[in-house]
Each structure stands twice: as C-alpha cells, then as structure tokens.
Amino acid sequence: MSSRSASASTSPTVVAKNPKSGVRILHFGGRWTVETMPEIDLLALIPEKGLLRLEAGEAEAVDTSLAMTVTRLMEATDGTGVKVDLSGLPVSVSNLVLLARAVPEQDVPKPETTSFITEAGKKAMALWTSLEVALSFFGESFLALGRTLRHPKTFRLREFLVLLGDCGFRALPIVSLLAFLTGLILAFVGAIQLRVFGADVYVADLVGLAMSREMAALMTSMIMSGRSGAAFAAHLGTMKVSEEIDALSTFGFKPVDMLALPRLLALTLMMPLLTLYANLMGYLGGAVIGYSMLDISYSQYLFETQTIVTTRDISIGLVKSAVFGFIIAACGCVQGIHCGQDAAAVGHATTRAVVLSITLIVVADAVFAVICEVLKI
Amino acid sequence: MTPPRSSAARIDVRNLTMAYGSRVVMQEMNFQIHRGEVFVIMGGSGCGKSTLMKHLIGLLEPAEGAILYDNVNFTTADEDERHAMRRSFGVLYQAGALWGSMTLAENIALPLEQYTSLSRRDIREVASFKLALVGLNGFEDFYPAEISGGMRKRAALARAMALDPDILFFDEPSAGLDPISSARLDDLIVQLRDSLGATIVIVTHELASIFAIGDRCVYLDVESKRITAEGHPRELAESSDDEKVREFLNRQAETPADHQPS
Ligand SMILES: Nc1ncnc2c1ncn2[C@@H]1O[C@H](COP(=O)(O)OP(=O)(O)OP(=O)(O)O)[C@@H](O)[C@H]1O
Ligand SMILES: [Mg+2]
C-alpha cells in the first residue's frame, strides 16, 4: 500500500502500512484542520479483522478534525472484530476520542420513513383533528363567556381595555387609508362606465352600496386579520412555547377564559365600529372622485348617498363585520393556544391563523350573500 | 372508606409509564410521597424528570398507570375535579414561565385576585412579601424581560408560593443561581415545609441541596427507563446497590483518564 494523498506538506495525509499480517498501521500526517479535511475514503482502509493501529505525530493534531476522523473509524469498526489501538496518537487526540465515545448511547428515535399513503392518511387525520379542535374551541369560548358572566370578578378589565385599544383606535390610520382608497377605486372604475351613459351621479349609489354592504367589512377584516389575528397567534404561541400557558392552567385558570375570551370580545366589539368608520372614509373617497372627475358637488354627492343607502344596508355590513371579527380572533387564538413547542412553530401558527381567517371570512361572506338573497334584504 | 389521612400518601404514583407518542420515556414507576416531605427527583440530563413533573401536575397524560392525591385518582378525574385539586399546587417551571405581559407584582397578584377576596392593597403587600422572601424586594414593578435569568427564576418561585400551596413542585430551582442564593433557597424550602407543612417535590441535580434538604429521593435511570433507587440520599450515596446511583451522588463520572490507551 502507498500514500493516498501527499500533495503539499500542509495538507492532511493518511499513509497505510501492513508491517505484518493481521496488523495495519494508519499514519496521519500533515495539518489536520476542519478546513483541510481530506476527501479520502478512510473506511476502505479498515482491515477485515486483526489489529488497526493509528499513529500521528504530535504537531499534526491541530484541532478536533483528527479526533473526529478517528471516532468515525472506530464507529465503523464497532462489532467487526477489528481491534483499534490508539496508543500511537497524541494523548490530546485519544482523550477527545474516548470522551466522545464515553457518552452512553441513548435510544434516539429514528425519523420515521413513511410511504406516500401513510403521509396522506396522516394529513387527512390532522385535518380532522384540527376541525375537532376548532369546534371544541368554539363551544369552549361560549362556556367561557357563561362562566365569566356568572363570575365577573375573574374578568381582567385592564387587559381588556388595552386589547380594545389595540383592536380599535390604533387601527384607525391604516383603516382610514385603505377604506378611502377603496372608495376612490370603486368610484373611479364606476365613473368610467357611468360617464358613457351620462349617469354620472349614480357613482354615489355604486360606492355607497358597495361600501356599506360589502367592501367596508371585507377590507377592515383583511386589515384586522393581518394586524390583530396575527398578533394574537404570535402572542399566545410564544406564551405556549415559554410554558406561560401551562403555568396558567396549573394555577387552575382556563386559558380560553383568561386569554381567548377577552380577545374574542374585543375584536367582535371593535370590528363594527371600525367598519362604520371605514364606510365614511369610503364615501369620502367616492366623493373626491365625483368632485374632481365628474363635477358632482359634495352636497349633491352626499344627498345621493343618503337617498340610496338605507340603515338596512349599513346594518348588514356591521353584522357581517362582527362575525368576521369573531372569526379572526378565534383563528388567532386557536392557532396560538395549539401552537407547537419552538420558535418556528410560532411562525407557522401565525401564518395559519391569517390564511385560515381570510379563507373563512370569504366563505362566510358568500354564506351571507346567499342568506341576504333568500331573505330578500 | 378512605384510610386516615395522616397515614395515606399525599401523592401515590402507581405503575406509571410515560411516553411521547410511541417513544417511552420511563416505565413502571411506583413511588409514594408523604405529607410534609422534601422529595427529590434526580437523574441524568434528558432522563425524563421534567416529564415526570408535568405528569404529576396533569399537563401530560400517563400512557399507563395512575397518579393519586390523598387517595383520589387524579388521572381519571374530570377537568373540574382536577382544577379543584390543582388549587393546592404551586409549580416552578424549569424556565420560569413568568407571564411576560405583567410586572412581577402582577404575576403574583393574579392568582390572589382570582382566588381570594383580599383588597388591592393587601394583595400588593402579599406580593411584596413573597418577593422579599426570594430576595427581590424593590423589583415589584419590573417586567420579567427586564431582570436577569436567575432573578426570573426566583420571581417564579415567589409566584409558585403565591397561594401558600400545599404541594410545591420545583423544576431545578437552583439552576442559574449563585451558591449563596441557592443555599438561601434551600433554607426557604425547609422553612416552607416546617411552617406551612407543605409537601415539596424537587427536581434537582445540586448535590449540596439534595443532601441538605432531601428527605427521600428517587433516581431515574435513562438506560433501563426505570426507577433504580429510592431512599434517603445519604444512605443511597453510601450503600446503594446501584453503582450509577452511587456515582451520581458522589459526583463521579467515568473519565477518559480511567481507561487511558495502553
Ligand atoms: N415535547 C416533547 N416531545 C417529544 N419528546 C420530548 C418532549 N419533551 C421532552 N422529550 C423527550 O423526553 C426525554 C425527557 O425529557 P425531559 O425534559 O423530561 O428531561 P429532563 O430529565 O428534565 O432533563 P434536564 O435535566 O436536562 O432538564 C428527552 O429525551 C426528550 O428528548
Ligand atoms: Mg428538565
């Protein structure tokens, strides 16, 4: 046998020798560092049986890479009947090797290798469980409301007020901007079409009805699910990871009562108010287009809006928005409370909360459309 | 037909097997914890001590077996019964688990507000007193994020004692504390036991604490996944049948020096 690698004096080398039968010597030379680990198939140098003697000069052992290589070699010889002799290695290396091997083997669970069908089955089961979790949360939150009404002392008013602020006036700037722009866009699109028929003034009808019945509630709920829903999921998820939720339940507090209920109430209460405000901002956006593009005066625009938009239209929007608010808060809280155990899980919980709430909002909106159609309202 | 209380075990663990999914952590555990005892759970890192504690307080469900408090089965109890039983628990988590959105005083006040009819001022005073017990007077209005790791641990201890619980569970209370604070903590634990008659269950590796305050201990062995020793720490250190337990309690490890290459 001969040297496998001996390019430069600084690069690591392994020389294999067979001084007598049944004995193989591997001599490690050159500089052994993590950056210069040689690409040699050392395992091919292990004899079938007999004695494997490892040697190295004192100067070559630069960092833990030699110890690592030796440990790998020894692991490969475990149970093959090859005896490994470390006495030719510097003491610093052989001690590291012994230390690395002194840790008792624990039964680390092997990552399961599964087939496509098992995976699909598991996913389906997971879907089913998450549905169960959502339903039981739904029921639990109503029970929590009942319990809190019976024992109002347990309700944490101060925290609730902070939440009201978070879900309420702190969202006003962004709601203003988006609702104003929504009204503007609706009016702009409508103006182009209506001008063809000389029906300019009906822009106010279009914007008024669309905002009141649909767009104000939808836009506000999109904003709030990105704002509050995500915040709820991230906050509760972090509490879960740091065992704060466990700490609540060992004090006999129910996490749903303490954490979810105030959030559900806060968002369900504040959403209609925000939506009402979004309506006004939307009308304003429409009026700006009406004035600048179609020469409709502000008072004319307001009068037209008043004649067409009824309290019923506005109420439909407000009822919807309360339901959407509940959906957003519920998704955020469920995902947060049932979050996994690490930082990545908090991220997943937040994403799921937002995606799930937006999906459910659109579905709920469709259901509302059908109901309104059937009831002719 | 329950036997007289004094003779009954406060906590009775029967044939408990703990598992995460299909992976068994410990199996067939049997031990009893008596009223007014300082009971130590020890074992190597990752052997399942925190897991055992979570089973005892009902955060995890046993794969098999049961846990009884005063002869009442906690494992089969329904959620409301469990809540009632948990009222007498105080728990210190390994990582503290203080509620991050509240100040230290509010952390201690929360259980008091919910379960007592004390006035706001009295609650504040109780909170200050509990913080003083762990050497944190003056930190009432700090948030958990504003204090050091060791201080957080002590504050969490103060919270665990908020309701003067009957059973205290401590997961590594002295980890992260300096020697003086941890000796003080040992004193505090003995005081709690003596003055309140509390039962104390501690997970700890601190040999000094184990010998200073432990009345009885169990050793969880990773390899056999069983309890391999139970008894008074000093007796176990001297005369346990199990070599690993003696090594643990006498702070020895198989070092590379023991088997130098020839
Ligand atoms: N949530 C979990 N899911 C799956 N396995 C877990 C989980 N938590 C812990 N384990 C596993 O259970 C075993 C016991 O963990 P545990 O936290 O109880 O150890 P410990 O004895 O408290 O250790 P330490 O002294 O380091 O705190 C470990 O091997 C760990 O890998
Ligand atoms: Mg632990």
Side-chain angles (χ1 to χ4, degrees):
Chain A
M1 285 256 180
S2 63
S3 153
R4 292 288 191 95
S5 146
S7 49
S9 68
T10 53
S11 64
T13 60
V14 183
V15 183
K17 280 179 288 198
N18 277 1
K20 55 181 186 267
S21 83
V23 179
R24 170 164 300 174
I25 298 177
L26 293 183
H27 186 90
F28 299 97
R31 275 172 58 85
W32 282 76
T33 63
V34 171
E35 293 97 58
T36 59
M37 289 276 282
E39 286 168 20
I40 305 170
D41 185 11
L42 281 170
L43 301 188
L45 298 179
I46 297 174
E48 307 268 295
K49 56 182 186 297
L51 184 73
L52 179 65
R53 190 179 145 76
L54 305 177
E55 292 178 346
E58 193 68 51
E60 279 87 16
V62 185
D63 64 10
T64 53
S65 61
L66 184 55
M68 200 171 92
T69 309
V70 172
T71 309
R72 270 222 305 275
L73 268 178
M74 287 185 71
E75 270 162 14
T77 59
D78 278 344
T80 57
V82 178
K83 219 176 115 43
V84 183
D85 176 6
L86 300 181
S87 57
L89 292 173
V91 177
S92 59
V93 174
S94 56
N95 272 354
L96 273 181
V97 172
L98 289 174
L99 199 61
R101 290 172 57 82
V103 176
E105 285 281 325
Q106 295 199 10
D107 70 321
V108 184
K110 303 233 163 23
E112 291 171 38
T113 49
T114 47
S115 69
F116 169 75
I117 295 183
T118 353
E119 274 310 304
K122 270 193 188 152
K123 282 267 151 59
M125 294 294 286
L127 206 65
W128 181 246
T129 359
S130 66
L131 195 69
E132 271 181 0
V133 165
L135 279 179
S136 72
F137 176 83
F138 195 68
E140 184 67 24
S141 58
F142 281 100
L143 289 178
L145 186 62
R147 278 193 294 263
T148 307
L149 288 178
R150 263 182 291 132
H151 307 281
K153 200 175 144 255
T154 57
F155 195 70
R156 293 176 49 72
L157 192 64
R158 237 188 53 211
E159 205 182 309
F160 182 63
L161 292 179
V162 173
L163 280 169
L164 278 185
D166 272 340
C167 305
F169 69 86
R170 288 204 191 91
L172 284 181
I174 181 83
V175 171
S176 311
L177 179 69
L178 289 194
F180 179 79
L181 288 178
T182 309
L184 204 86
I185 293 165
L186 282 174
F188 188 74
V189 174
I192 295 169
Q193 301 297 318
L194 292 173
R195 208 154 40 176
V196 178
F197 305 103
D200 300 11
V201 78
Y202 291 115
V203 161
D205 300 27
L206 176 83
V207 173
L209 283 180
M211 283 310 286
S212 314
R213 293 183 71 113
E214 287 290 342
M215 294 312 287
L218 270 183
M219 290 311 291
T220 316
S221 58
M222 296 298 145
I223 295 166
M224 295 316 279
S225 74
R227 222 180 157 274
S228 298
F232 293 170
H235 187 182
L236 300 194
T238 313
M239 288 186 74
K240 169 90 181 203
V241 171
S242 59
E243 298 181 320
E244 288 175 45
I245 291 188
D246 289 347
L248 278 178
S249 32
T250 39
F251 269 112
F253 302 142
K254 299 206 159 89
V256 175
D257 298 35
M258 293 289 278
L259 300 172
L261 188 66
R263 287 174 169 76
L264 286 168
L265 286 180
L267 204 53
T268 314
L269 284 179
M270 292 321 275
M271 270 292 288
L273 296 184
L274 285 174
T275 304
L276 197 60
Y277 174 77
N279 274 332
L280 296 179
M281 293 311 286
Y283 303 158
L284 185 65
V288 167
I289 288 289
Y291 181 76
S292 57
M293 275 181 71
L294 307 170
D295 289 328
I296 308 171
S297 76
Y298 284 116
S299 56
Q300 207 184 342
Y301 189 95
L302 182 64
F303 180 75
E304 186 62 31
T305 305
Q306 271 177 336
T307 48
I308 195 73
V309 177
T310 60
T311 324
R312 187 200 289 161
D313 297 319
I314 294 179
S315 314
I316 288 173
L318 297 189
V319 169
K320 274 187 191 178
S321 73
V323 173
F324 295 167
F326 181 84
I327 290 175
I328 295 166
C331 289
C333 292
V334 171
Q335 296 297 341
I337 290 179
H338 295 278
C339 165
Q341 290 291 350
D342 54 14
V346 177
H348 288 309
T350 312
T351 313
R352 269 203 309 270
V354 175
V355 172
L356 192 67
S357 61
I358 292 183
T359 315
L360 288 182
I361 284 167
V362 175
V363 172
D365 198 33
V367 173
F368 269 113
V370 173
I371 293 175
C372 289
E373 178 59 32
V374 170
L375 295 180
K376 302 264 184 291
I377 50 178
Chain B
M1 275 298 292
T2 47
R5 279 198 142 203
S6 56
S7 71
R10 185 72 178 91
I11 309 176
D12 189 355
V13 173
R14 292 193 187 159
N15 197 28
L16 175 68
T17 295
M18 313 188 292
Y20 285 106
S22 58
R23 179 171 171 233
V24 173
V25 177
M26 278 279 149
Q27 56 194 357
E28 292 167 26
M29 295 195 285
N30 280 295
F31 61 89
Q32 297 187 330
I33 301 173
H34 302 290
R35 191 174 290 276
E37 193 169 53
V38 177
F39 188 86
V40 180
I41 298 169
M42 55 187 195
S45 187
C47 67
K49 302 180 296 294
S50 299
T51 308
L52 174 57
M53 208 184 84
K54 286 184 185 160
H55 277 80
L56 290 178
I57 56 187
L59 289 174
L60 295 172
E61 295 305 317
E64 227 175 278
I67 296 158
L68 286 76
Y69 283 89
D70 281 332
N71 280 336
V72 180
N73 196 327
F74 183 68
T75 306
T76 55
D78 67 27
E79 201 49 35
D80 290 332
E81 289 169 327
R82 279 193 185 194
H83 272 290
M85 287 159 105
R86 279 191 189 136
R87 278 288 308 280
S88 58
F89 295 0
V91 185
L92 169 67
Y93 289 85
Q94 191 163 5
L98 290 168
W99 296 307
S101 56
M102 301 180 204
T103 64
L104 299 193
E106 286 170 343
N107 261 280
I108 299 170
L110 180 65
L112 292 167
E113 281 165 13
Q114 302 279 325
Y115 292 128
T116 67
S117 47
L118 293 176
S119 72
R120 199 165 272 277
R121 263 201 36 224
D122 290 344
I123 287 180
R124 174 84 189 181
E125 235 157 63
V126 175
S128 297
F129 176 72
K130 302 274 153 139
L131 283 172
L133 281 183
V134 293
L136 282 176
N137 26 352
F139 286 94
E140 283 86 352
D141 295 322
F142 281 61
Y143 283 91
E146 298 169 345
I147 57 177
S148 79
M151 287 159 83
R152 237 171 274 163
K153 197 89 188 220
R154 283 184 278 154
L157 187 72
R159 185 185 64 182
M161 300 184 307
L163 293 170
D164 289 332
D166 191 36
I167 310 179
L168 277 155
F169 296 92
F170 295 151
D171 195 349
E172 302 197 11
S174 42
L177 296 188
D178 60 280
I180 294 173
S181 306
S182 90
R184 209 179 132 145
L185 185 74
D186 288 347
D187 285 346
L188 178 65
I189 291 171
V190 173
Q191 289 296 325
L192 283 174
R193 194 261 311 268
D194 292 345
S195 58
L196 303 174
T199 307
I200 292 166
V201 182
I202 312 185
V203 171
T204 185
H205 308 283
E206 292 285 318
L207 289 181
S209 301
I210 295 176
F211 289 124
I213 59 172
D215 292 322
R216 235 146 44 80
C217 59
V218 284
Y219 180 85
L220 311 187
D221 181 52
V222 193
E223 274 161 49
S224 63
K225 299 189 174 173
R226 281 183 166 75
I227 292 178
T228 52
E230 178 179 347
H232 191 277
R234 212 165 281 286
E235 284 164 17
L236 287 184
E238 279 156 19
S239 56
S240 170
D241 308 331
D242 193 317
E243 194 185 349
K244 258 187 284 181
V245 178
R246 285 204 310 275
E247 277 173 1
F248 184 95
L249 285 170
N250 294 311
R251 198 159 196 278
Q252 289 169 349
E254 293 177 68
T255 52
D258 292 346
H259 33 130
Q260 274 287 330
S262 50

